[in-house]
Amino acid sequence: NEAGSLASWLAVATSYATHGQPTIPFYLYYSMFGFQRVGDQIWQAGDMCARGFLLGCTAGRTTLHGEGLQHDDGHSHLIASTNPAVVPWEPAYAYEAAVITRDGLRRMLGGEDVIFYITLQNQSYLMPPMPAGVEEGILSGIYPLRSAEHLGVTLKPDAPVIQLLGSGSILNEVLAAQEK
């Protein structure tokens, strides 16, 4: 069950202090329900200076609509952001998740008491290669992904410029809006 699984995660996430053995756990669960059902245990993990990854799977507006709105995760990041020990992330692409995970491992194995909450989508779409030089932008929370020139659009010198922002499960819709 979720409580038992998180208890096991917590034992591993604090092994550096309990046993002098740094071990970084990864717990994959249904993103919608994690902070709702075991949020108190996640607060306890922060109080115990846990280090590890919580991976909320099937994030965003999922494809499980036959089961009702209970599977539409539009708020787990809001709940996660209330916990000072948790750093929430919502990558759209595999390369973003890789950069975030590498940074989390560096921080945790470097001695920082932090919990990374990363949501993972269940939508099926192509994963592009990582653009050059975006690692720092990924970690700071914003980077340029695609310009108007990429679409073959030439901007007039005095034309207003619109910048669209998006991350995670909404990013494909933002990119589609750019093409219109």
Side-chain angles (χ1 to χ4, degrees):
N1 66 29
E2 291 159 332
S5 296
L6 195 58
S8 296
W9 178 90
L10 182 53
V12 175
T14 56
S15 66
Y16 74 94
T18 308
H19 300 290
Q21 194 70 315
T23 307
I24 307 297
F26 288 75
Y27 175 38
L28 287 79
Y29 62 92
Y30 215 155
S31 63
M32 171 67 182
F33 299 130
F35 282 88
Q36 288 182 1
R37 293 186 178 166
V38 292
D40 288 344
Q41 283 180 288
I42 297 170
W43 276 91
Q44 176 188 14
D47 291 344
M48 293 175 67
C49 301
R51 301 173 186 168
F53 292 86
L54 300 173
L55 303 175
C57 303
T58 65
R61 300 296 182 219
T62 75
T63 57
L64 302 172
H65 292 297
E67 297 187 34
L69 288 176
Q70 76 231 18
H71 296 286
D72 281 354
D73 174 17
H75 67 285
S76 67
H77 283 92
L78 295 174
I79 299 171
S81 67
T82 65
N83 187 323
V86 175
V87 180
W89 298 93
E90 187 177 23
Y93 298 125
Y95 69 81
E96 294 172 333
V99 168
I100 291 164
T101 301
R102 183 179 61 215
D103 185 61
L105 288 169
R106 179 192 61 78
R107 290 171 65 177
M108 292 172 207
L109 292 172
E112 188 174 345
D113 300 330
V114 64
I115 299 166
F116 271 34
Y117 173 57
I118 304 173
T119 50
L120 304 171
Q121 313 331 310
N122 72 334
Q123 295 169 293
S124 179
Y125 56 93
L126 293 176
M127 294 290 133
M130 183 167 66
V134 299
E135 292 91 344
E136 185 178 325
I138 291 169
L139 297 175
S140 67
I142 190 169
Y143 67 95
L145 180 62
R146 192 167 76 183
S147 66
E149 290 81 17
H150 174 81
L151 297 172
V153 174
T154 303
L155 300 176
K156 296 177 184 175
D158 295 335
V161 176
I162 298 172
Q163 295 186 5
L164 303 174
L165 302 174
S167 69
S169 57
I170 197 68
L171 185 60
N172 287 325
E173 302 305 320
V174 172
L175 294 175
Q178 183 190 36
E179 294 179 10
K180 293 186 178 187

